[in-house]
């Protein structure tokens, strides 16, 4: 019988015993004190903040006096709920202890305000994707139990679905304008999960054509397709027990956004579309960072293939992430789930809301283009030099810019996966279990 090692995350209690504290080194104790000070400051800030709706303590007390909704007298049904959001002004999708600026915070606030759920813990809730700070979604999906007008044995009848509570309208009335529900899907299986039953997630990353070498970027994309170890093209989340980095990419391609601009116009917008069942932390932003370096002719397309060769390159070279703003969860695919319930009035309202935001964004864009055009004329008249037509793409790469470019594979490398595992074992964040 052979014995293997299995790693598990050591989830510590927030309060450590006196014996555990005595075992910690001086550096670990200092780090713990700093964390507690930071957490204490965050809690103070939360307490001092007013509710985003501007509710005073009197308003809150008045709400408490109101009669609570009696969920014991209502029915519940399991559904998929599809919605979109522009994540530029949010701290990510998932709820956070120290911030109310998350998509999930506003979503559950709306669900509870409309009495569609009693509380999150009992709502059988799963999310399809967890987008990071600044990232948007055009088709985020969750599975959840919500209030229904009909008993379980009648919920799948066509007339019941047609006359069900208008979930999207109810929620959109309570959500910020940059978070909009689009449709819902009735489910018969209470265990169906938006996370675990999702067959494919499609992300898009938008960027201007500029002077980028698009054919070279497309060649780089071709090496991504298939089953690979992406430890050099993601941020390794070893502290949370992620030690396997094999992922299968179904397709990766670069396309132009449908518009009236010609394919050679440097102002035309492009996008990277990448499809997979699951992604790693910052995987797409790492991939896009490398593709931008290729598009800038600073690296060869074969760099992607080199980074996927873990035996040859076991440690990740240091490079900056691509910006979070252009990334969005474009589509989520569920097998056999094609009976989405749409409402004409809801869609018309959502389109109007988005177009209203588009109007003001377009005005800002046009104003910027005009002032840049005028200043280019001054450059030409005063200095006989015409400014660049458009940014070349390097602006999408975060971090400080190098004065003299150094090839990525020649840069200093981070820790290997094995070194990081050992580091967190010593920090007691990971446990090593013997498995026979």
């Amino acid at each position: 019988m052979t014995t293997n090692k299995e790693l598990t995350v050591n989830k510590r209690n927030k309060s450590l015993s006196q014996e555990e504290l005595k075992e910690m080194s001086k550096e670990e104790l200092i780090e713990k004190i700093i964390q507690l000070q930071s957490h204490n400051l965050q809690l103070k800030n939360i307490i001092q903040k007013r509710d985003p709706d501007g509710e005073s303590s009197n308003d809150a007390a008045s709400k408490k006096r109101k009669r609570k909704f009696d969920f014991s007298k209502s029915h519940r049904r399991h559904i998929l709920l599809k919605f979109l959001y522009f994540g530029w002004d949010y701290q990510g999708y998932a709820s956070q202890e120290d911030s109310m600026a998350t998509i999930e915070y506003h979503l559950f606030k709306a669900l509870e305000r409309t009495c569609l759920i009693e509380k999150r813990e009992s709502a059988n809730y799963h999310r399809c994707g967890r987008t990071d700070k600044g990232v948007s979604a055009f088709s985020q999906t969750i599975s959840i139990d919500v209030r229904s007008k009909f008993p379980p044995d009648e919920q799948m009848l066509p007339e019941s679905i047609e006359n069900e509570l208008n979930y999207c309208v109810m929620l959109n009335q309570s959500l910020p304008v940059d978070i909009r529900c689009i449709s819902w899907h009735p489910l018969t299986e209470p265990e169906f999960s938006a996370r675990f039953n999702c067959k494919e997630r499609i992300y898009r990353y938008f960027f201007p054509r500029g002077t980028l070498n698009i054919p070279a970027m497309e060649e780089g994309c071709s090496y991504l397709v298939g089953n690979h170890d992406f430890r050099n093209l993601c941020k390794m989340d070893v502290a949370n027990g992620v030690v396997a980095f094999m992922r299968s990419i179904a397709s990766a391609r670069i396309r132009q956004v449908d518009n009236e601009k010609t394919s050679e116009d440097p102002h035309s917008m492009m996008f990277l579309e990448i499809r997979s069942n699951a992604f790693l932390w910052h995987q797409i932003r790492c991939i896009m960072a490398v593709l931008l370096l290729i598009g800038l002719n600073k690296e060869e397309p074969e760099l992607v293939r080199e980074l996927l060769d873990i035996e040859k390159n076991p440690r990740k070279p240091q490079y900056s992430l691509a910006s979070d703003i252009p990334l969005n969860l474009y589509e989520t695919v569920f097998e056999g789930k094609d009976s989405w319930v749409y409402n004409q009035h809801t869609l018309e309202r959502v389109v109007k809301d988005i177009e209203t935001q588009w109007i003001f964004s377009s005005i800002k864009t046009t104003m910027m283009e005009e002032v840049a055009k005028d200043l280019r004329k001054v450059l030409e008249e005063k200095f006989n030099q015409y400014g660049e037509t458009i940014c070349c793409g390097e602006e999408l790469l975060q971090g400080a810019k190098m004065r003299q470019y150094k090839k990525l594979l020649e840069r200093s490398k981070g820790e290997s996966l094995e070194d990081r595992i050992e580091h967190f074992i010593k920090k007691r964040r990971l446990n090593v279990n013997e498995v026979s």
Side-chain angles (χ1 to χ4, degrees):
M1 182 180 293
T2 59
T3 302
N4 299 318
K5 292 182 178 180
E6 181 184 79
L7 293 172
T8 57
V9 180
N10 182 21
K11 295 183 179 179
R12 292 178 177 171
N13 295 324
K14 290 185 178 179
S15 58
L16 298 175
S17 67
Q18 189 173 4
E19 289 73 19
E20 288 175 317
L21 289 170
K22 286 179 179 179
E23 292 178 2
M24 297 175 73
S25 66
K26 181 180 178 180
E27 291 75 16
E28 288 176 324
L29 287 170
I30 292 172
E31 183 181 351
K32 186 69 177 175
I33 292 170
I34 292 172
Q35 289 175 352
L36 290 172
Q37 287 176 333
S38 175
H39 187 63
N40 188 42
L41 180 62
Q42 290 171 352
L43 290 175
K44 285 182 178 180
N45 290 335
I46 292 171
I47 292 170
Q48 291 172 357
K49 281 181 181 178
R50 289 171 61 89
D51 186 273
D53 291 335
E55 293 178 345
S56 65
S57 57
N58 291 334
D59 294 330
S62 176
K63 278 191 170 183
K64 286 182 180 179
R65 288 194 295 268
K66 290 182 180 179
R67 189 171 62 181
K68 287 187 177 181
F69 185 87
D70 189 354
F71 283 90
S72 66
K73 296 180 180 178
S74 63
H75 304 290
R76 295 201 303 176
R77 70 150 79 221
H78 194 49
I79 69 167
L80 287 175
L81 186 66
K82 184 183 293 185
F83 57 101
L84 62 85
Y85 53 85
F86 300 109
W88 311 314
D89 297 325
Y90 292 93
Q91 296 297 311
Y93 178 84
S95 297
Q96 300 174 23
E97 289 183 359
D98 59 340
S99 176
M100 292 180 288
T102 66
I103 305 299
E104 215 168 45
Y105 170 84
H106 289 286
L107 177 63
F108 274 95
K109 187 174 180 181
L111 285 164
E112 291 174 4
R113 178 178 291 170
T114 54
C115 295
L116 289 178
I117 67 168
E118 185 172 12
K119 55 185 178 179
R120 174 173 175 164
E121 292 75 15
S122 60
N124 191 17
Y125 166 72
H126 289 277
R127 58 195 174 214
C128 183
R130 176 174 174 165
T131 54
D132 293 323
K133 176 183 176 182
V135 179
S136 301
F138 293 176
S139 183
Q140 176 66 281
T141 310
I142 64 170
S143 53
I144 192 167
D145 290 349
V146 291
R147 178 163 56 94
S148 172
K149 290 167 61 177
F150 304 97
D153 58 344
E154 297 178 11
Q155 287 175 358
M156 297 308 292
L157 297 175
E159 56 269 24
S160 297
I161 295 173
E162 184 179 351
N163 295 291
E164 184 57 279
L165 294 170
N166 197 328
Y167 298 122
C168 292
V169 167
M170 295 171 68
L171 290 170
N172 286 343
Q173 290 173 348
S174 297
L175 286 168
V177 72
D178 49 7
I179 306 174
R180 300 283 88 177
C181 286
I182 307 169
S183 62
W184 66 279
H185 192 295
L187 296 172
T188 55
E189 314 95 330
E191 70 280 0
F192 191 94
S193 165
R195 178 185 176 188
F196 299 110
N197 291 102
C198 183
K199 297 301 180 183
E200 191 174 55
R201 295 165 174 86
I202 304 170
Y203 279 84
R204 285 187 177 182
Y205 191 102
F206 292 85
F207 61 96
R209 171 182 287 272
T211 57
L212 292 170
N213 185 343
I214 300 300
M217 295 175 72
E218 290 174 335
E219 183 181 346
C221 282
S222 68
Y223 300 121
L224 295 168
V225 179
N227 198 39
H228 304 286
D229 189 315
F230 283 90
R231 69 181 67 178
N232 289 331
L233 288 167
C234 74
K235 187 171 181 179
M236 292 195 292
D237 195 16
V238 178
N240 286 316
V242 181
V243 293
F245 298 92
M246 295 295 294
R247 293 294 185 274
S248 181
I249 301 297
S251 69
R253 61 179 189 170
I254 291 175
R255 294 288 184 269
Q256 180 175 330
V257 176
D258 293 332
N259 54 33
E260 296 178 358
K261 292 184 173 68
T262 65
S263 60
E264 300 303 319
D265 189 331
H267 290 87
S268 62
M269 295 299 296
M270 314 291 292
F271 62 86
L272 163 71
E273 182 180 274
I274 188 163
R275 297 168 174 256
S276 178
N277 172 256
F279 291 92
L280 296 160
W281 190 20
H282 289 332
Q283 182 179 353
I284 300 174
R285 291 174 64 191
C286 284
I287 289 172
M288 193 63 206
V290 172
L291 291 177
L292 284 170
L293 293 176
I294 294 169
L296 292 165
N297 293 317
K298 294 183 176 182
E299 300 284 354
E300 297 299 319
E302 289 76 17
L303 172 64
V304 176
R305 185 169 56 190
E306 291 291 317
L307 292 172
L308 293 173
D309 189 342
I310 303 305
E311 292 186 4
K312 191 175 179 181
N313 297 288
R315 297 190 300 157
K316 179 184 176 182
Q318 294 183 356
Y319 60 89
S320 300
L321 286 172
S323 171
D324 49 4
I325 299 299
L327 180 60
N328 81 89
L329 176 57
Y330 185 75
E331 189 177 351
T332 51
V333 180
F334 298 89
E335 187 175 349
K337 304 300 177 186
D338 54 1
S339 300
W340 289 91
V341 180
Y342 290 92
N343 177 275
Q344 181 180 348
H345 172 73
T346 302
L347 285 179
E348 289 173 346
R349 183 70 243 184
V350 169
V351 170
K352 182 174 177 59
D353 290 339
I354 294 173
E355 288 185 340
T356 299
Q357 296 178 70
W358 170 84
I359 287 171
F360 288 100
S361 296
S362 296
I363 290 170
K364 292 176 183 177
T365 300
T366 302
M367 291 171 68
M368 293 175 192
E369 287 179 343
E370 287 300 305
V371 73
K373 190 188 302 179
D374 291 343
L375 292 175
R376 286 196 204 104
K377 290 179 182 178
V378 176
L379 270 174
E380 188 176 20
E381 293 170 0
K382 300 292 184 182
F383 303 99
N384 197 29
Q385 181 177 349
Y386 195 74
E388 289 186 5
T389 304
I390 192 172
C391 300
C392 59
E394 193 169 2
E395 291 73 15
L396 292 176
L397 294 172
Q398 297 181 336
K401 304 296 184 289
M402 293 182 176
R403 290 186 178 180
Q404 186 172 359
Y405 187 78
K406 188 174 185 179
K407 289 290 187 180
L408 197 145
L409 291 178
E410 297 173 6
R411 300 180 192 178
S412 58
K413 309 290 196 301
E415 292 181 307
S416 68
L417 174 60
E418 292 72 23
D419 290 338
R420 290 187 66 79
I421 291 174
E422 187 64 28
H423 168 78
F424 286 110
I425 290 175
K426 288 180 179 178
K427 284 277 189 180
R428 290 175 289 183
R429 290 291 302 275
L430 293 176
N431 297 322
V432 182
N433 304 317
E434 299 294 333
V435 180
S436 59

